[in-house]
Amino acid sequence: MQHEQLTPFPADFLWGASTSAYQVEGAWDADGKGPSVIDSHMHRPEGVTDFTVAADHYHRFDEDVELFAELGLTAYRFSIAWTRIVPDGDGEVNPAGIAHYHRVIDALLARGIEPVVTMYHFDLPAALDERGGWSERSTIDAFERYARILFEEYGSKVKYWLTINEQNMMILHGRAIGTTGRSGQVAGRELYQQNHHMFLAQAKAMILCHEILPEAKIGPAPNIVSVYAATCAPEDVIAADDWDAIRNLLYTDLSVRGSYHPLAWVYLKAKGWEPEILDGDLDLLAGAKPDFLAFNYYSTQTVGASRGDASDIQVRGGDQQVVRGEVGLYRAEKNQHLPVNAFGWEIDPVGFRTTMRRLWDRYRLPLIITENGLGAFDELVDGRVHDDYRIEFLRLHLEQIQLAITDGVEVFGYCPWTAIDLVSTHQGISKRYGFIFVDRTEDDLKDLARIRKDSYFWYQDVIASRGERLEHAAPTAAQPGR
């Protein structure tokens, strides 16, 4: 639909940016923090940094929050490290960890920035992992207790809560993103039993939030993309429907409706992977009512009918954002209508609008985008980072948000990935997403100086104009990250 006039961004729209604790904080063992699966089991390629220091946001959050305020952010989506609050996952509470996040939240509120808190972003406590992690129902209780601690400590200050970041990526691509831990080195039925337990933990957290904090809002944060059929051949359309159900709707339906999507359930039964569901589980899932739906979006996926052989599967170098394929289910296809970035991710701003429209049509819940961004090998030259390629990417996606709003979709916030450079999942600190450059390399911490990129000043103007000024000159083909 082409609109003659666009609806403005809402006056109370949350103009934000995102990070996650393990990728930005560093201080991996400071002040009583326990180890997570990231610390215990993440193996980095040679020459790629680990997460022990990252951007040192733990020690420099005041400086960073000042920069966020100058940028004009009205929201900051970040995660709390479970192991800072409860070092072993279900034992004694760590007062130093509690105090740290009070300071972070207070610093944000003092500068008019709304904290949007992710409770769990891949970093399961290693002690729980050693005991079986999400394979054990006891982890559900540990997560509920952790949620209660967060709500009781920070509930008077935090209005927006996110339960679990990208649960679908942890289940579908746990080895690719490297966050499985020992208990995640499983497959098939046990993996989907873990998935079921995570949904029960999320449901308990949502119910508890509404009981303790009736004014707060809480929702899930999966990674959701539109799935295209490679052609209009009916067999390709069926394959796209199947993969959409398994990749997307299994997770959104269970989060919002409290029920398993029928196509996804048929798939699990055919594989012999259906989880054990105890009495009361389905009632619990149905009783959890999210207030909104958060989602992360980077690209779309295009699939065709399976040919029944190994040609269905695309090599993707461990990258969870590149469509893979599964013999007998769907075939990975390249979308010839889309450009790709330096990492093989197809760039599809219009698919972003499609994704928002589909989510709104199915669930009628307000939407907030909690990740969307372009990673690139940014270069610091004469004290500046000229990242026009990132500006162009974000501009195109913001245009599609406004179009979706004009379509009638309720979108209340945008938190691109990332507020500040952090350690990426695959390429370390070299692959950068932030509006703020952190001056370090894979093996040299330098002074960790913060430097505003060109995208910082562009986004500052976008926020100041409430989305009215999105224009920016198109980048040249020679610039990195394209």
Side-chain angles (χ1 to χ4, degrees):
M1 183 183 301
Q2 295 182 343
H3 300 288
E4 293 185 5
Q5 186 171 353
L6 296 178
T7 302
F9 286 88
D12 58 353
F13 190 80
L14 294 178
W15 296 97
S18 292
T19 63
S20 79
Y22 79 88
Q23 292 176 276
V24 75
E25 286 183 349
W28 73 279
D29 62 350
D31 299 331
K33 179 185 177 295
S36 73
V37 293
I38 304 296
D39 304 313
S40 300
H41 297 292
M42 175 72 80
H43 299 290
R44 310 296 292 166
E46 184 176 354
V48 174
T49 188
D50 58 24
F51 298 97
T52 57
V53 176
D56 199 30
H57 183 61
Y58 182 81
H59 294 114
R60 297 168 183 248
F61 72 86
D62 261 323
E63 174 188 358
D64 294 339
V65 171
E66 286 286 357
L67 286 167
F68 299 165
E70 180 188 327
L71 177 55
L73 296 187
T74 59
Y76 174 46
R77 180 250 179 164
F78 64 100
S79 70
I80 288 177
W82 189 342
T83 51
R84 289 200 194 280
I85 305 301
V86 186
D88 65 357
D90 64 354
E92 293 189 10
V93 174
N94 176 27
I98 293 287
H100 170 73
Y101 290 110
H102 271 299
R103 290 192 293 270
V104 172
I105 292 167
D106 289 345
L108 293 167
L109 293 174
R111 293 161 180 83
I113 302 172
E114 191 80 53
V116 179
V117 174
T118 309
M119 301 166 66
Y120 173 46
H121 194 123
F122 298 160
D123 49 355
L124 182 71
L128 293 181
D129 177 59
E130 290 292 330
R131 301 202 295 269
W134 287 110
S135 293
E136 302 298 320
R137 288 184 75 99
S138 59
T139 303
I140 302 170
D141 298 328
F143 186 79
E144 183 184 22
R145 175 174 178 259
Y146 166 59
R148 181 180 292 276
I149 294 166
L150 296 187
F151 297 152
E152 291 178 347
E153 283 290 340
Y154 310 118
S156 63
K157 304 174 182 180
V158 176
K159 180 180 178 181
Y160 296 100
W161 297 90
L162 307 173
T163 52
I164 298 175
N165 178 76
E166 291 193 348
Q167 181 175 330
N168 53 340
M169 296 297 97
M170 285 191 280
I171 295 300
L172 292 165
H173 307 306
R175 289 181 176 86
I177 58 178
T179 55
T180 54
R182 182 171 301 173
S183 64
Q185 299 300 316
V186 298
R189 187 163 191 170
E190 185 173 352
L191 186 64
Y192 280 93
Q193 191 68 53
Q194 292 183 357
N195 192 43
H196 183 69
H197 290 164
M198 274 194 268
F199 277 116
L200 294 173
Q202 173 178 262
K204 285 196 169 191
M206 287 181 180
I207 292 169
L208 187 64
C209 181
H210 291 139
E211 290 176 353
I212 296 177
L213 306 171
E215 302 301 316
K217 298 182 183 299
I218 190 166
N223 180 303
I224 302 299
V225 302
S226 289
V227 178
Y228 301 143
T231 73
C232 54
E235 294 80 5
D236 289 347
V237 175
I238 289 291
D241 278 355
D242 290 345
W243 180 232
D244 184 38
I246 295 161
R247 188 203 187 279
N248 296 318
L249 300 182
L250 167 62
Y251 299 88
T252 50
D253 271 14
L254 268 168
S255 295
V256 178
R257 296 176 172 176
S259 59
Y260 276 87
H261 188 281
L263 273 178
W265 187 255
V266 166
Y267 167 80
L268 293 177
K269 287 193 69 175
K271 291 279 191 177
W273 293 351
E274 71 273 29
E276 179 185 27
I277 299 176
L278 301 187
D279 289 345
D281 283 1
L282 296 180
D283 289 337
L284 175 61
L285 292 169
K289 304 295 184 183
D291 301 291
F292 59 83
L293 181 56
F295 73 102
N296 301 344
Y297 175 90
Y298 290 94
S299 185
T300 49
Q301 297 193 351
T302 302
V303 306
S306 168
R307 295 180 183 172
D309 57 38
S311 69
D312 289 342
I313 299 174
Q314 179 172 316
V315 177
R316 61 178 184 184
D319 194 319
Q320 76 275 13
Q321 299 295 344
V322 177
V323 64
R324 177 171 172 80
E326 181 178 330
V327 176
L329 180 66
Y330 73 101
R331 177 182 177 82
E333 296 280 4
K334 177 173 173 51
N335 191 325
Q336 300 297 330
H337 301 283
L338 300 177
V340 298
N341 68 12
F343 307 98
W345 300 12
E346 293 175 340
I347 299 173
D348 187 2
V350 177
F352 190 26
R353 179 185 180 187
T354 302
T355 303
M356 287 181 277
R357 286 162 57 140
R358 289 179 177 178
L359 288 172
W360 175 252
D361 181 61
R362 189 172 183 88
Y363 302 112
R364 288 296 195 277
L365 280 178
L367 304 178
I368 180 171
I369 296 90
T370 41
E371 289 184 28
N372 171 242
L374 179 68
F377 296 127
D378 295 343
E379 296 181 5
L380 180 65
V381 179
D382 297 328
R384 295 291 301 273
V385 178
H386 301 299
D387 57 341
D388 284 356
Y389 40 89
R390 179 168 296 109
I391 294 170
E392 182 69 359
F393 179 95
L394 295 174
R395 181 187 70 79
L396 291 171
H397 285 77
L398 276 167
E399 285 181 348
Q400 295 301 317
I401 294 177
Q402 189 170 15
L403 284 165
I405 290 171
T406 308
D407 292 334
V409 179
E410 185 178 344
V411 186
F412 70 94
Y414 178 63
C415 297
W417 190 257
T418 57
I420 186 170
D421 285 346
L422 42 65
V423 178
S424 79
T425 307
H426 301 293
Q427 288 88 11
I429 194 67
S430 299
K431 183 182 183 182
R432 299 171 182 269
Y433 285 87
F435 294 111
I436 300 165
F437 186 88
V438 176
D439 193 15
R440 62 158 294 183
T441 67
E442 302 297 336
D443 57 4
D444 184 357
L445 293 177
K446 297 186 178 181
D447 59 0
L448 293 164
R450 275 57 171 151
I451 299 161
R452 302 164 185 81
K453 303 180 188 179
D454 286 359
S455 60
Y456 179 99
F457 299 107
W458 168 80
Y459 195 41
Q460 184 182 58
D461 190 53
V462 169
I463 297 171
S465 70
R466 294 183 177 179
E468 291 185 7
R469 294 192 295 269
L470 299 178
E471 299 79 9
H472 186 75
T476 65
Q479 290 174 304
R482 298 293 289 174

